[in-house]
Amino acid sequence: STTMSAEEAPSEAPQADPGLEELEKKMSEIQFVITAEDQPETEPLSLSELPEHPEVLEPSEYPDTYKSNTKKEGLVAAFVRNFERQFKQLYSQRKPLWAVVPNECGVEKFVCTTIRPTALPYKELYSFDGAARFVSEFLVYRPLSKPTEPPARLVAPTTTVWSQSGTAFDFSVLLCSLLEGVGYDAY
């Protein structure tokens, strides 16, 4: 292990980048104006009336892969749960990891197995900006009921597209799946 002498030690804490401070100040001054064109023709629901995850299908209507784990998925989930226990023991002051969570059918799945490389037959979705535009403009964002906590479940990208809505977690899984499907390293 090496130690610094008093002459080598930095005399001051690192200073914030003035460019970033300027940008942050400008961003905080932006005001959003909603015009009549932005208003929906029908009366919108209040956010409290919107479910975090609307049910699209009955659990029996989902494919079998949604309702159970393969042997490999079960083994991976067991390894991850073991890691989560070790993490909790070593870092008890931190929030627990969010790595094995229930899906829309209530089956615990490893988060990484929820991301499914998906290539849709629309050329517009083959670029990162086209895929991001699709997710941001054609789906309804549903805020989490507790914004500082992850959702109680994580739905598959297909369910997000079927419901045409989702949380930030659902959007990120869908976007990663679309980008992975056309060759981007989106992890």
Side-chain angles (χ1 to χ4, degrees):
S1 134
T2 60
T3 58
M4 284 193 253
S5 67
E7 298 83 45
E8 296 172 34
S11 59
E12 300 177 10
Q15 295 184 358
D17 182 358
L20 286 177
E21 289 176 356
E22 176 87 19
L23 178 62
E24 185 177 345
K25 182 179 178 192
K26 287 180 181 178
M27 295 292 286
S28 68
E29 294 171 354
I30 294 175
Q31 294 184 356
F32 294 95
V33 178
I34 298 176
T35 64
E37 291 176 343
D38 298 324
Q39 297 297 323
E41 293 178 20
T42 59
E43 190 65 29
L45 295 172
S46 73
L47 290 179
S48 62
E49 295 172 324
L50 297 174
E52 193 169 293
H53 285 92
E55 295 300 327
V56 178
L57 300 173
E58 291 294 318
S60 62
E61 297 178 84
Y62 284 99
D64 289 339
T65 56
Y66 286 54
K67 297 181 276 187
S68 64
N69 283 318
T70 65
K71 288 182 181 181
K72 285 183 182 179
E73 287 175 323
L75 184 61
V76 168
F79 282 126
V80 173
R81 280 192 205 96
N82 183 46
F83 179 80
E84 286 177 328
R85 281 191 293 275
Q86 293 175 28
F87 182 88
K88 186 177 180 179
Q89 188 174 14
L90 291 171
Y91 304 103
S92 58
Q93 73 282 6
R94 290 185 164 184
K95 287 188 174 197
L97 297 176
W98 194 71
V100 177
V101 294
N103 67 2
E104 52 270 59
C105 293
V107 176
E108 287 195 333
K109 298 274 190 177
F110 181 40
V111 170
C112 294
T113 63
T114 305
I115 296 172
R116 296 287 184 178
T118 306
L120 297 176
Y122 305 104
K123 290 191 317 189
E124 299 86 0
L125 301 179
Y126 284 32
S127 66
F128 69 90
D129 56 336
R133 191 175 314 110
F134 168 74
V135 170
S136 69
E137 293 178 5
F138 296 104
L139 302 174
V140 175
Y141 171 70
R142 306 239 186 251
L144 292 167
S145 55
K146 295 180 182 176
T148 59
E149 300 292 327
R153 60 186 175 155
L154 185 64
V155 301
T158 304
T159 303
T160 303
V161 173
W162 280 337
S163 68
Q164 297 179 355
S165 66
T167 67
F169 287 84
D170 303 329
F171 280 21
S172 64
V173 168
L174 173 60
L175 183 58
C176 284
S177 295
L178 291 172
L179 293 174
E180 285 282 331
V182 294
Y184 286 92
D185 182 9
Y187 280 104

